[in-house]
Amino acid sequence: MADVADRAGVSRALVSIVFRNQPGARQETRERVLRVAEEIGYRPDSAARLLARGRSRTLGVMFTVHQTFHTDLIEGIYPEAERLGYDVLLSAAAEGRSEAKAVEALLGHRCEALILLGPEADPAYLDALGQRAVTVSVSRRVPRAARVDFVHSAESKGVRQAMDYLVELGHRRIVHIDGGRGPGSAERRRSYRAAMRRHGLEPESRVIPGEHTEQSGIETGRLLLAERDRGLPLPTAVLAGNDRCAMGVLMALVRGGVEVPRDMSVVGYDDSHVSHMMPIGLTTVRQDAVLMAEHAVRFAVERLEDPELRPREAVLDPKLVVRGTTGPPPREAAG
């Protein structure tokens, strides 16, 4: 600022007035100061100004690399944060970089609040984190006593929609690929089993251990193909833990000569952007990523403004989106 003041022939205080857009400088002076600043490449450090007032107005977002639904959530976080006057800083958990390390990096950069996308941390860690900073968990359920806000979709309702649809098509041998420790996995697993009982199909219930990854889907597809080769019947439908897992199943089935949906139907979960990018559109349960993101940002900002708010929970309705990977079961299976 001293360099700008010297080049423009004004005081540093006047330069400060211009950069803060405060009254006290003539229009001609403002234009000269801004022109000089542009010529020498000076940019006001808004972060430094905020920190000087004890605020960073920055929301830290922890996400997991390769989780496509997290990308959709981040796209919704940015515009809502900007609308409310906040910046966003991202920190990724990845192979060799734990969630805890990603979170500490955000806190080290003076983020005022944390938005955790599908955290796999245990409840005690989340509770402790909520004591340190304003924290919102997206998709990962937290204990009601924890000082953490929670945004998620109604997992049981989404699974019920998918299962009712498959049963109406005539499917009975429906398997579920579990998502392991992934967000929403426990609720989806319970809801699958409950739906099979409700439809009188409990003897056909089968949960295959897995993860929210393409590789998990590929391995499950290979397992089912190996069973077929030993003379065991293929399931007529698969409810995958998420879209990435469903894509892996599809890849393995197609390579193994199984035609989808003629021989087997496949359903995903999330309706992430990748579900639209395949030659055959994926039937999936849609979570409204934009609405979830907006709720998360608002929860964070509202708690920053009123730290005494009680922990809150937003539950959003999912919706089954039917595309090309589902159809009636093979005639012999339906018979």
Side-chain angles (χ1 to χ4, degrees):
M1 289 178 63
D3 292 338
V4 173
D6 185 59
R7 289 275 296 270
V10 297
S11 68
R12 180 169 174 170
L14 195 54
V15 171
S16 177
I17 286 173
V18 171
F19 284 144
R20 287 185 288 114
N21 199 27
Q22 298 294 313
R26 293 181 302 176
Q27 185 60 31
E28 178 185 351
T29 302
R30 289 181 182 276
E31 292 175 356
R32 184 167 75 254
V33 167
L34 294 174
R35 184 173 64 252
V36 168
E38 184 174 357
E39 288 173 356
I40 67 174
Y42 174 80
R43 294 291 182 274
D45 189 341
S46 56
R49 291 206 305 268
L50 287 168
L51 286 173
R53 298 180 217 153
R55 296 290 306 272
S56 70
R57 295 195 72 85
T58 301
L59 306 179
V61 178
M62 190 282 295
F63 68 105
T64 301
V65 171
H66 301 313
Q67 283 296 355
T68 52
F69 188 61
H70 290 187
T71 304
D72 298 339
L73 287 167
I74 290 168
E75 286 185 351
I77 286 172
Y78 272 107
E80 184 66 5
E82 184 176 345
R83 185 182 73 82
L84 295 175
Y86 283 77
D87 288 330
V88 174
L89 185 64
L90 304 179
S91 186
E95 189 72 29
R97 190 173 196 253
S98 67
E99 288 184 0
K101 191 168 185 177
V103 166
E104 291 302 323
L106 294 171
L107 293 173
H109 282 85
R110 302 288 296 274
C111 292
E112 290 193 68
L114 301 172
I115 298 176
L116 311 181
L117 305 186
E120 295 190 0
D122 61 62
Y125 172 81
L126 293 176
D127 184 32
L129 188 60
Q131 304 295 330
R132 297 174 60 194
V134 170
T135 304
V136 181
S137 174
V138 180
S139 295
R140 168 68 64 180
R141 187 176 295 278
V142 291
R144 292 188 180 276
R147 193 177 175 81
V148 176
D149 293 320
F150 177 36
V151 179
H152 67 113
S153 68
E155 309 282 354
S156 60
K157 185 178 293 187
V159 170
R160 185 165 63 247
Q161 290 178 31
M163 293 296 292
D164 288 350
Y165 168 68
L166 290 172
V167 172
E168 287 172 7
L169 287 175
H171 292 276
R172 295 181 60 82
R173 294 199 306 272
I174 308 169
V175 302
H176 174 54
I177 307 174
D178 187 25
R181 288 172 50 84
S185 296
E187 291 86 353
R188 295 171 198 177
R189 180 172 59 250
R190 285 194 295 266
S191 299
Y192 160 78
R193 287 176 170 148
M196 292 294 278
R197 286 195 301 271
R198 183 163 46 86
H199 288 290
L201 301 175
E202 190 168 11
E204 303 283 354
S205 292
R206 183 183 181 188
V207 176
I208 301 175
E211 296 178 338
H212 285 170
T213 63
E214 292 87 355
Q215 186 59 38
S216 176
I218 291 171
E219 291 172 359
T220 300
R222 289 172 177 168
L223 170 66
L224 297 175
L225 291 171
E227 292 177 350
R228 177 199 62 179
D229 294 341
R230 295 199 304 270
L232 298 175
L234 279 171
T236 63
V238 172
L239 173 63
N242 72 345
D243 290 348
R244 292 180 62 198
C245 182
M247 289 180 63
V249 172
L250 288 169
M251 292 167 61
L253 294 178
V254 170
R255 291 170 183 168
V258 175
E259 187 171 325
V260 177
R262 187 196 68 186
D263 302 324
M264 189 186 300
S265 291
V266 177
V267 180
Y269 205 106
D270 284 343
D271 195 28
S272 58
H273 64 273
V274 297
S275 64
H276 313 270
M277 298 167 59
M278 304 169 58
I280 176 171
L282 178 66
T283 295
T284 184
V285 177
R286 181 174 188 263
Q287 299 191 87
D288 193 328
V290 172
L291 198 56
M292 292 175 77
E294 290 174 351
H295 272 80
V297 171
R298 285 200 292 270
F299 273 3
V301 172
E302 288 167 5
R303 186 170 293 284
L304 285 171
E305 295 172 352
D306 184 1
E308 300 306 314
L309 283 173
R310 295 178 61 83
R312 295 158 298 167
E313 179 178 3
V315 185
L316 309 180
D317 283 336
K319 180 181 179 181
L320 180 67
V321 180
V322 177
R323 298 194 182 97
T325 59
T326 48
R331 185 170 302 175
E332 61 274 15

